[in-house]
Amino acid sequence: NFWLKRTEPLAASDDYDSVWGVDGPGTTGFTFLNGQIYLFVNYDTGGNQARLITNRVFRDPSAWYNFHVTFDRANGTAAQRLRLYVNGVEETSFATDERSNISSSSSSGWNVSGLTAAINRRSGASDSRYHNGYLAQFYNIDGAVVAPTEFAETKDGVWIPKAYSGSYGNNGWLLPFANAASSGASAFFSDSGNS
């Protein structure tokens, strides 16, 4: 779960604008391309991927968005193995939906020892594909599927952040991206009980 605000508009012809990625046998990541969101999940050691690409485009540089992604490879319903929520509402309209490729043995690569993850860019060979914008309150919850309402709520008709109080799992964390001048090193990383 994370908050994102672009600093420049996306044109229809824009190349990859990568928010996060994992370098593994394939590339797993969250990327804007031509204004659409591309979720790539590497699902086996052969580099095969399952893609989830929105019909909706995100080109407004003035808006903060709250994005919530869940990965539940063992779910018996294909549409619930990889899910995307925007400001608390699940996206259901996709130009490409390959979630049925994900099996109970699939791996996203996220939180996997030996694989490099990156935030604000893609990882590995495509690491020059940087994100243009701001990030805030970037949560990683390991080993559990958590609802977006654990991180944000509606007040006076507006979706706003709230403090998460649940478990982070074995490898979970919070990157608050607070003001470093006032908060020091803890502005960028909250240990959340894990090292």
Side-chain angles (χ1 to χ4, degrees):
N1 188 287
F2 57 93
W3 290 82
L4 177 145
K5 181 180 185 291
R6 291 192 46 78
T7 52
E8 60 187 52
L10 271 174
S13 61
D14 276 349
D15 194 6
Y16 291 89
D17 181 284
S18 299
V19 179
W20 51 263
V22 179
D23 181 25
T27 300
T28 296
F30 184 105
T31 298
F32 293 99
L33 180 62
N34 302 328
Q36 296 166 287
I37 293 175
Y38 278 46
L39 277 175
F40 298 85
V41 174
N42 165 51
Y43 64 85
D44 68 21
T45 56
N48 295 311
Q49 295 174 340
R51 296 173 300 158
L52 194 59
I53 304 170
T54 62
N55 278 315
R56 180 179 174 186
V57 295
F58 299 84
R59 294 194 176 115
D60 185 356
S62 67
W64 276 96
Y65 296 101
N66 175 239
F67 293 107
H68 185 81
V69 177
T70 65
F71 180 68
D72 183 7
R73 65 186 181 190
N75 197 298
T77 303
Q80 294 181 6
R81 294 175 194 154
L82 179 64
R83 299 169 88 173
L84 170 66
Y85 298 79
V86 181
N87 295 334
V89 178
E90 185 170 7
E91 287 290 308
T92 57
S93 177
F94 298 103
T96 300
D97 184 346
E98 299 174 340
R99 292 179 286 187
S100 61
N101 292 344
I102 300 169
S103 72
S104 61
S105 61
S106 297
S107 173
S108 69
W110 196 260
N111 282 338
V112 174
S113 179
L115 299 184
T116 302
I119 295 174
N120 246 18
R121 65 172 174 83
R122 281 181 67 178
S123 184
S126 300
D127 64 2
S128 63
R129 293 174 170 166
Y130 291 92
H131 165 62
N132 294 306
Y134 297 106
L135 289 173
Q137 296 298 105
F138 196 115
Y139 285 93
N140 172 44
I141 308 303
D142 182 32
V145 174
V146 181
T149 51
E150 294 294 316
F151 307 94
E153 61 189 341
T154 301
K155 276 197 177 175
D156 299 323
V158 180
W159 188 248
I160 62 169
K162 73 176 186 181
Y164 175 67
S165 60
S167 171
Y168 287 81
N170 292 334
N171 296 302
W173 38 257
L174 163 63
L175 298 175
F177 297 115
N179 184 330
S182 62
S183 305
S186 64
F188 298 105
F189 184 71
S190 177
D191 179 35
S192 309
N194 296 324
S195 59

